[in-house]
Amino acid sequence: MSITLEEEIFGLAVNPFTKSPEMVRRYTLKNSKGMTVSVIQLGAIIQSVCLPDAYKKVDDVCLGFDDIASYLANKGAYIGGTLGRVANRVANGEYTFNDTKVSVTKNIQDKFQLHGGFIGFDSVIWEVVQKSAEGVIFRHVSPHGHEGYPGKLTCLITYQLDNENRLWVRYEATTDRSTMVNLSSHAYFNLAGHGSGAKGLSEHTVEIASDQIVDTDELQIPTGKLVDVKDTVFDLRLPVLMRDRLMQFENRQIKGYDNCFVVNGGRVQKSVAKVAKIVHPPSCRVLEVWTDQPGMQFYTANNLTSIVGKNCTKYEKHGSFCVETEKFPDAMNHPEFPSISLEPNEKYRHDVLYWFKVEESWNCCCNNDP
């Protein structure tokens, strides 16, 4: 049986550029294993990911909302949203390129930029250029000067689902003058079910193939150093139980994980490689993250406070996780980091694969590649 696509109206949203209301559609891809993925035009957001567990119980494992108003009201949590032009932080909202200083908007305490500024890619209405069983392709043209960034940036995001329960996401971008690009996704997951909260997350084990994290200051701005994870709470090279690990953050300033882990040896790869594996043993659901990117921000929803999500469920602190594949934060201010600059003759590309599996414990040791 092949993949099917369903299209429906999700709601009305005001286009931040034209200020006029536009219809926002939802596209749902479904495979032969009963897995569905829904994406919406607002922010090219992943609105839902439903799949059965080992006992054939279907749950939505992706946090989100049932209506546009809730996405707008909770914009600051970036739930499910696309991050761009530049994901993560830009120190002092500025950078220098080719001896020219570029000032971008500072949307956090007038100190730095986060996730692209006041109107990031999570807040724009993406046009649909393809919708079929082969996948959904969204397009957004970010005008020259938007949020301070030079160049007209044309972006494509492709969402594809296959019958192996793999959700493939491809980001592409081209520009008409030198600029900076680092796109990512702020989807929040909980393999016990989107509404299972802190109890559900505490039952997960997390494994990240990373020897180092990007060192940051108290504002979470990179210092330029990479720090070894050995003998720290950030050593996730073997699976660790979230319940045990999150308790170790109680006396720290940041209460949980919100760090860019250096993966793939800190270099962009020619093809995707497995960088993380998250398991929820009670349901036997597994999420593997495969990417070609050098970094992955792992975040345990430390700042979520009682948001009402889909089906009137409460989303709470430490009740979900994000696995944001990316280049390193503030890379434009750190020449030693992998470059996020994009020239008119180049094409930005970023591939990530979310591979959802059900692994009963007796065959958890099987290792298979995509």
Side-chain angles (χ1 to χ4, degrees), residues 258-291:
D258 191 3
N259 305 87
C260 182
F261 284 77
V262 178
V263 295
N264 284 330
R267 286 182 297 279
V268 176
Q269 302 298 303
K270 287 196 164 48
S271 59
V272 296
K274 181 162 70 171
V275 298
K277 180 175 184 176
I278 295 121
V279 182
H280 180 245
S283 66
C284 298
R285 283 197 192 96
V286 175
L287 169 58
E288 290 180 358
V289 182
W290 297 65
T291 189

Side-chain angles (χ1 to χ4, degrees), residues 93-369:
E94 60 185 32
Y95 66 90
T96 303
F97 188 72
N98 287 347
D99 301 329
T100 308
K101 187 170 146 183
V102 176
S103 294
V104 298
T105 55
K106 294 189 267 195
N107 58 319
I108 303 289
Q109 302 156 6
D110 202 31
K111 287 185 178 155
F112 59 88
Q113 188 184 84
L114 178 68
H115 299 329
F118 293 97
I119 301 173
F121 285 2
D122 60 294
S123 300
V124 303
I125 299 172
W126 291 65
E127 75 176 289
V128 179
V129 291
Q130 182 192 306
K131 44 179 187 182
S132 71
E134 297 295 301
V136 177
I137 303 180
F138 290 116
R139 180 172 180 265
H140 171 59
V141 180
S142 178
H144 167 60
H146 186 243
E147 299 293 335
Y149 288 101
K152 181 173 94 170
L153 191 75
T154 304
C155 303
L156 293 175
I157 304 180
T158 305
Y159 290 109
Q160 271 182 319
L161 178 65
D162 68 17
N163 281 321
E164 293 296 312
N165 283 2
R166 295 182 291 196
L167 171 59
W168 300 83
V169 186
R170 171 168 288 176
Y171 302 91
E172 295 167 284
T174 53
T175 183
D176 63 359
R177 63 184 91 181
S178 301
T179 192
M180 298 288 166
V181 188
N182 190 13
L183 306 183
S184 191
S185 166
H186 214 296
Y188 290 78
F189 298 107
N190 184 324
L191 300 176
H194 71 106
S196 67
K199 180 186 181 298
L201 184 70
S202 74
E203 299 165 346
H204 289 58
T205 64
V206 175
E207 180 185 354
I208 300 175
S210 168
D211 299 329
Q212 295 176 306
I213 58 167
V214 176
D215 185 46
T216 56
D217 66 14
E218 68 285 348
L219 286 176
Q220 290 177 271
I221 305 282
T223 61
K225 295 202 294 278
L226 304 178
V227 193
D228 288 344
V229 299
K230 193 176 185 302
D231 301 325
T232 72
V233 289
F234 304 107
D235 191 345
L236 302 173
R237 292 174 293 186
L238 293 172
V240 299
L241 189 63
M242 277 293 99
R243 178 189 296 115
D244 300 345
R245 265 311 155 87
L246 286 173
M247 282 164 70
Q248 297 180 31
F249 283 88
E250 279 167 9
N251 300 322
R252 288 173 168 261
Q253 187 199 347
I254 293 165
K255 308 289 186 210
Y257 289 97
D258 191 3
N259 305 87
C260 182
F261 284 77
V262 178
V263 295
N264 284 330
R267 286 182 297 279
V268 176
Q269 302 298 303
K270 287 196 164 48
S271 59
V272 296
K274 181 162 70 171
V275 298
K277 180 175 184 176
I278 295 121
V279 182
H280 180 245
S283 66
C284 298
R285 283 197 192 96
V286 175
L287 169 58
E288 290 180 358
V289 182
W290 297 65
T291 189
D292 58 0
Q293 294 296 288
M296 186 187 84
Q297 188 88 8
F298 178 57
Y299 175 53
T300 47
N302 315 324
N303 306 322
L304 277 198
T305 45
S306 200
I307 287 174
V308 179
K310 284 179 281 198
N311 309 330
C312 297
T313 45
K314 271 225 165 68
Y315 295 154
E316 58 187 13
K317 177 181 171 179
H318 296 165
S320 53
F321 65 89
C322 298
V323 276
E324 308 160 43
T325 54
E326 60 184 13
K327 291 189 183 129
F328 305 161
D330 197 31
M332 63 267 279
N333 288 311
H334 295 283
E336 66 278 21
F337 288 177
S339 171
I340 62 167
S341 71
L342 186 70
E343 295 297 324
N345 58 344
E346 297 173 331
K347 186 178 200 176
Y348 167 86
R349 204 172 112 181
H350 166 178
D351 285 340
V352 57
L353 150 63
Y354 303 101
W355 195 349
F356 293 90
K357 300 180 175 182
V358 173
E359 287 184 351
E360 280 98 2
S361 48
W362 66 86
N363 67 7
C364 257
C365 302
C366 298
N367 195 2
N368 42 5
D369 293 344

